[in-house]
Each structure stands twice: as structure tokens, then as C-alpha cells.
Amino acid sequence: MANNEQPYDPYIPSGRGTPGPNTNHEGGNDRTAALKAQIDDTVNVMRQNIQRTEQRGDNIGHMNEQTLKMAEQSREFKRGSNRLRKQFWWKNTRMWIYIILGIVILIIIIALCPSSILPVGLNLGELTRFIAVHFGKK
């Protein structure tokens, strides 16, 4: 360094030393150009890969959002279907209660009404036998 020399850098050709068989300037420039072209191609491929990775990340984020929306919609659908199922169960139960109450009231009316209100020639005993014969167990 005392002689005002540049520090050694292996990537900068120094012009010192004996030229080897492949160090001719004409061939060196061609090889350098070919290496530079390969490096440029590699850099372009790397940039494309980075862009694709970013796009894939965006797509994954979008799919994640859609998944969360669908999960919420499925929970809401389940709540709605349960609510509807309970509503129809109560409607069916009320219908059966009304039918049973109607039958009970009809039986009470028949049992309490005097035989004069019943159809001609039909008394309560005959009515119960008629019901037992036609609607009872066989």
C-alpha cells in the first residue's frame, strides 16, 4: 500500500500476471457478455417468481376472506334452520293440542247432553255402543 497501489479485488482484472490460454481480450468479452446475459435471464426469472409469489399471497388472502364469509354464512344458516325447525315443531304441536281438545270437548258435550237433543231414536247407550263397534278395537 505504500506504493500507492489499489487494494486487491478478485473481480477486477488487474493486468498483472501472465496471460493464460483463455484470457484473450476478444474471447473474454464474449464470455463476459454471455455470463451477463445468463445473469440477466436469472434475474428476470427471479423477478417473475417473486411476482407470482406475491400474486399467490394475494389469492390466498382473498380465499381466506371468502372462507371466513362462508363460515359466518353457514353459522347463520344453521341458526335460521334451527329457528325454523322449532317454529314448525310448535305449529305442529299446537295443531295436535287443538285436535285433542276438540275431541275431548266433543266427548264431554256428548256425555253431558240429554238424550232428547241426540238424533231421533238414539240414546246415549246406543251412541256409545255405535262408537265402540265402529271405532273401537276389533
Side-chain angles (χ1 to χ4, degrees):
M1 292 264 169
N3 296 340
N4 238 353
E5 291 184 13
Q6 296 277 340
Y8 174 72
D9 188 354
Y11 299 106
I12 299 175
S14 66
R16 280 188 251 140
T18 59
N22 292 331
T23 57
N24 117 15
H25 292 292
E26 192 76 23
N29 289 336
D30 290 342
R31 275 187 27 206
T32 305
L35 285 174
K36 185 172 171 75
Q38 281 184 334
I39 290 171
D40 289 342
D41 288 342
T42 304
V43 167
N44 287 334
V45 168
M46 289 173 61
R47 284 185 181 142
Q48 289 173 355
N49 288 341
I50 290 170
Q51 288 173 351
R52 288 180 188 152
T53 304
E54 288 174 353
Q55 289 174 350
R56 196 175 356 201
D58 292 342
N59 290 341
I60 289 173
H62 181 68
M63 289 175 64
N64 191 22
E65 290 173 10
Q66 286 181 335
T67 304
L68 294 175
K69 284 180 187 177
M70 288 178 70
E72 180 59 33
Q73 289 173 349
S74 69
R75 282 190 291 271
E76 186 60 36
F77 179 79
K78 187 175 181 179
R79 278 187 231 120
S81 63
N82 282 337
R83 194 170 35 244
L84 189 63
R85 181 181 53 84
K86 289 177 183 177
Q87 180 182 2
F88 277 105
W89 183 85
W90 276 111
K91 190 175 184 178
N92 189 32
T93 303
R94 280 193 307 261
M95 181 192 68
W96 279 105
I97 289 172
Y98 294 151
I99 290 172
I100 291 170
L101 281 175
I103 292 172
V104 167
I105 291 172
L106 184 62
I107 290 173
I108 290 173
I109 290 173
I110 291 173
L112 294 179
C113 95
S115 59
S116 64
I117 297 178
L118 291 174
V120 178
L122 186 64
N123 64 20
L124 188 57
E126 290 176 356
L127 180 63
T128 55
R129 265 185 258 121
F130 176 79
I131 292 173
V133 168
H134 291 292
F135 300 107
K137 294 182 183 176
K138 292 186 179 186

